[in-house]
Amino acid sequence: MRIASISAPGPGETDRLIAEAAATLEAEGFLLNGIVKVLQDAPKGSHHCEMDVRVLSDNRTIRITQSLGKGAQGCRLNPEAIAEAVAAVDQASSLEADAFILNKFGPEEAEGRGFRAAIAAALERGIPVLVGLGGGEASRKGFAAFVGDMAETLPADPDAILTWVRG
């Protein structure tokens, strides 16, 4: 069982590294499961709250945030959209894959929900798992509790990430 995490300094940098690694691997013919964040420039004046993810197994894009109106101060995750993304990834868990990639092990996974079952299924099948970790202490602790000492920590370097996945 192989699992690795990556965490890069700077806003959005982990998402960028993981999305670019997935794109490179797909171009090389790797079959992937999981999700990556769709990289997009935020329009001027926006709160950077619109977030889309791409389901790697079927190339479907899902907006996982919901608009709360013009006066809203923060962005909000859309639980129905997240459930749709989780279901799509879970459904693809029985398909062949060369790697499983998750852009972020977040609060849902730390609490035993979200993509956690899909990660476990990939590990059980011997599929390498690459996970992004944000700066949140709860998510990091949840990840450590979930994987124990099984996970490798990769440097925030595109070549290191690709070498590990290809490994």
Side-chain angles (χ1 to χ4, degrees):
M1 288 195 270
R2 294 177 55 226
I3 185 167
S5 67
I6 172 136
S7 183
E13 191 61 14
T14 301
D15 287 321
R16 183 189 67 77
L17 285 167
I18 287 179
E20 289 177 358
T24 298
L25 293 164
E26 287 173 319
E28 293 174 358
F30 276 69
L31 297 174
L32 303 176
N33 191 13
I35 63 166
V36 294
K37 184 176 178 184
V38 175
L39 304 176
Q40 54 197 4
D41 292 327
K44 239 182 178 172
S46 76
H47 294 293
H48 305 274
C49 290
E50 294 179 349
M51 188 185 317
D52 298 334
V53 294
R54 183 169 64 89
V55 179
L56 295 169
S57 60
D58 64 11
N59 207 31
R60 178 180 0 166
T61 298
I62 300 171
R63 171 142 302 155
I64 61 169
T65 52
Q66 58 188 335
S67 174
L68 298 178
K70 191 174 182 174
Q73 294 295 313
C75 60
R76 298 283 184 250
L77 290 177
N78 180 340
E80 290 175 5
I82 299 230
E84 179 185 350
V86 169
V89 170
D90 283 346
Q91 187 174 33
S93 292
S94 63
L95 302 175
E96 288 299 314
D98 298 311
F100 180 95
I101 298 176
L102 178 62
N103 70 309
K104 181 180 180 186
F105 188 95
E108 288 293 304
E109 289 75 28
E111 294 177 13
R113 298 183 300 270
F115 294 94
R116 198 160 161 162
I119 293 169
L123 290 171
E124 288 172 2
R125 294 183 64 207
I127 297 169
V129 174
L130 175 65
V131 174
L133 280 179
E137 189 173 333
S139 295
R140 288 180 176 279
K141 283 183 178 179
F143 181 73
F146 178 52
V147 299
D149 61 358
M150 192 171 37
E152 297 177 50
T153 302
L154 300 178
D157 173 72
D159 291 331
I161 295 165
L162 292 170
T163 298
W164 185 87
V165 174
R166 291 174 185 138

